[in-house]
């Protein structure tokens, strides 16, 4: 799962340069000599990454972990990017002369072996786990797309929302989540609601949060008022959820989700797991429905219904 550092800094870097990398170009790192060792070239690239962030007001430390040659005559290196919220190790590439930095390597030739999508096994009641961060815009999008599927299939499939976070201690403040403490708190509240209320109540609450409270995630006071309004509207006991989410009960629920992210190798929000296998298809309500229905030993009659008007051109991306 994603490391505990605030990875907006990493996501920003990838967003700005991924398109360039796809076109097999790099960012020029000036003042370097030809024939550098992997460590020398990688250190220059690491320094460039640090300058990139710090010049944009993001205070980070970038430490070179290792560097090596590849069969493609470029150097691969790993850096540890640290901020006051934690750290993340990332793998990048740099040209041997140190002048071109690449955020990723892309295979351009077919290999002798190909990886086929893993077949999703069939069960009487498919286990569907949607891993998200509660304030990741793409996770929210996936939740909204999953809602019509939940409405259609009801409890015939076991559809659950799971959360990506790191629990590093015994208090809520110890939870590391990409969008900060307000996201960690909302993760905990939603886990407690899932524990104490039925599926319909939880998803009704979730849609209220996504529709009315998402934009408040940076404002703790506004979010506190908003989630309580959502709870009241959907018949949820605020005091009960506060008690659960602020103590060991909620933390233990989140720790269980953290173990699942490790077990499945979940690396971002959203990630959909069906019967233990990662879904890799289109992100739309109909596509979600079809994948889940294909995981039934015997598909229910509801699977014959088409969920239309529930996808969009922006149904992609992740945190």
């Amino acid at each position: 799962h994603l490391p505990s550092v605030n990875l907006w800094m990493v996501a920003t870097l990838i967003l700005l340069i991924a398109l360039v990398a796809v076109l097999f170009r790099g960012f020029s790192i000036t003042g370097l000599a030809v024939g550098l060792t992997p460590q020398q070239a990688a250190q220059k690239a690491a320094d460039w990454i640090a300058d990139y962030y710090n010049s944009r007001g993001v205070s980070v430390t970038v430490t070179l972990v290792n560097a090596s040659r590849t069969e493609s005559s470029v150097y691969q290196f790993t850096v540890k990017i640290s901020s006051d919220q934690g750290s993340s190790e990332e793998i990048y590439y740099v040209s041997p002369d140190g002048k071109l930095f690449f955020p990723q390597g892309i295979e351009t030739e077919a290999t002798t072996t190909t990886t086929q999508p893993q077949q999703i096994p069939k069960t009487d009641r498919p286990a569907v786990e949607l891993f998200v961060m509660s304030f990741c815009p793409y996770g929210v999008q996936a939740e909204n797309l999953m809602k019509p599927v939940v409405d259609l299939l009801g409890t015939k499939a076991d559809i659950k929302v799971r959360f990506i976070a790191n629990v590093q201690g015994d208090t809520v403040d110890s939870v590391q989540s990409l969008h900060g403490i307000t996201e960690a708190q909302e993760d905990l509240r939603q886990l407690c609601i899932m524990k104490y209320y039925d599926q319909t109540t939880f998803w009704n609450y979730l849609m209220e949060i996504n529709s009315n409270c998402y934009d408040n995630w940076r404002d703790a006071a506004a979010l506190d008022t908003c989630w309580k309004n959502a709870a009241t509207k959907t018949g949820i006991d605020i005091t009960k959820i506060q008690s659960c989410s602020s103590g060991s009960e909620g933390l233990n629920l989140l720790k269980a989700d953290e173990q699942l992210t490790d077990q499945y190798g979940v690396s971002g929000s959203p990630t959909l797991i069906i019967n233990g296998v990662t879904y890799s298809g289109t992100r739309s309500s109909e596509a979600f429905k079809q994948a889940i229905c294909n995981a039934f030993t015997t598909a229910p009659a509801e699977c014959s219904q088409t969920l239309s008007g529930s996808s969009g051109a922006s149904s992609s991306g992740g945190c």
Side-chain angles (χ1 to χ4, degrees), residues 185-225:
Q185 291 169 334
E186 184 57 32
D187 291 352
L188 290 163
R189 286 192 289 265
Q190 291 186 22
L191 283 168
C192 290
I193 291 170
M194 278 187 277
K195 177 177 180 178
Y196 286 108
Y197 292 88
D198 61 19
Q199 177 178 270
T200 299
T201 301
F202 167 74
W203 281 90
N204 287 342
Y205 170 84
L206 183 58
M207 292 302 100
E208 287 290 325
I209 290 291
N210 290 352
S211 297
N212 302 317
C213 304
Y214 169 76
D215 290 337
N216 294 325
W217 70 267
R218 294 181 181 87
D219 187 335
L223 180 61
D224 186 63
T225 299

Side-chain angles (χ1 to χ4, degrees), residues 5-13 45-63 79-88 92:
V5 67
N6 185 338
L7 293 183
W8 278 117
M9 55 187 178
V10 175
T12 299
L13 176 63
D47 292 342
W48 181 88
I49 294 169
D51 289 342
Y52 174 91
Y53 286 130
N54 292 321
S55 67
R56 287 159 175 79
V58 180
S59 179
V60 301
T61 300
V62 180
T63 305
V79 290
K80 183 176 183 180
I81 303 176
S82 304
S83 73
D84 58 1
Q85 297 189 26
S87 63
S88 166
Y92 299 124

Side-chain angles (χ1 to χ4, degrees), residues 53-277:
Y53 286 130
N54 292 321
S55 67
R56 287 159 175 79
V58 180
S59 179
V60 301
T61 300
V62 180
T63 305
L64 179 63
V65 177
N66 57 56
S68 61
R69 301 176 188 272
T70 70
E71 294 180 358
S72 301
S73 300
V74 296
Y75 298 156
Q76 175 181 301
F77 66 98
T78 302
V79 290
K80 183 176 183 180
I81 303 176
S82 304
S83 73
D84 58 1
Q85 297 189 26
S87 63
S88 166
E89 288 195 359
E90 304 295 331
I91 297 175
Y92 299 124
Y93 300 85
V94 64
S95 60
D97 62 3
K99 292 183 178 180
L100 295 176
F101 164 61
F102 304 93
Q104 65 182 115
I106 302 172
E107 292 286 347
T108 60
E109 296 182 359
T111 57
T112 56
T113 59
T114 58
T115 301
Q116 298 296 329
Q118 189 174 354
Q119 186 68 33
I120 296 175
K122 296 182 182 294
T123 59
D124 292 339
R125 186 171 182 246
V128 182
E129 298 167 289
L130 180 60
F131 287 81
V132 300
M133 303 164 188
S134 57
F135 292 131
C136 167
Y138 305 104
V140 169
Q141 179 189 69
E143 290 170 341
N144 293 343
L145 292 171
M146 186 62 75
K147 177 59 161 59
V149 185
V150 174
D151 292 341
L152 178 67
L153 297 178
T155 59
K156 292 184 178 180
D158 183 17
I159 303 175
K160 287 186 169 63
V161 174
R162 305 288 191 189
F163 297 100
I164 304 168
N166 300 95
V167 183
Q168 300 183 340
D170 298 323
T171 64
V172 174
D173 290 342
S174 75
V175 178
Q176 296 292 315
S177 193
L178 180 60
H179 302 94
I181 186 62
T182 57
E183 180 172 69
Q185 291 169 334
E186 184 57 32
D187 291 352
L188 290 163
R189 286 192 289 265
Q190 291 186 22
L191 283 168
C192 290
I193 291 170
M194 278 187 277
K195 177 177 180 178
Y196 286 108
Y197 292 88
D198 61 19
Q199 177 178 270
T200 299
T201 301
F202 167 74
W203 281 90
N204 287 342
Y205 170 84
L206 183 58
M207 292 302 100
E208 287 290 325
I209 290 291
N210 290 352
S211 297
N212 302 317
C213 304
Y214 169 76
D215 290 337
N216 294 325
W217 70 267
R218 294 181 181 87
D219 187 335
L223 180 61
D224 186 63
T225 299
C226 196
W227 88 260
K228 289 176 180 176
N229 289 339
T232 300
K233 185 174 180 179
T234 53
I236 291 170
D237 186 329
I238 293 172
T239 301
K240 185 173 188 175
I241 298 308
Q242 283 179 316
S243 176
C244 172
S245 64
S246 62
S248 60
E249 185 177 12
L251 286 173
N252 288 335
L253 294 171
L254 189 54
K255 287 177 183 177
D257 278 11
E258 184 179 8
Q259 290 175 354
L260 287 173
T261 63
D262 291 336
Q263 176 184 325
Y264 292 133
V266 171
S267 60
S269 167
T271 297
L272 180 61
I273 307 288
I274 303 174
N275 284 343
V277 175

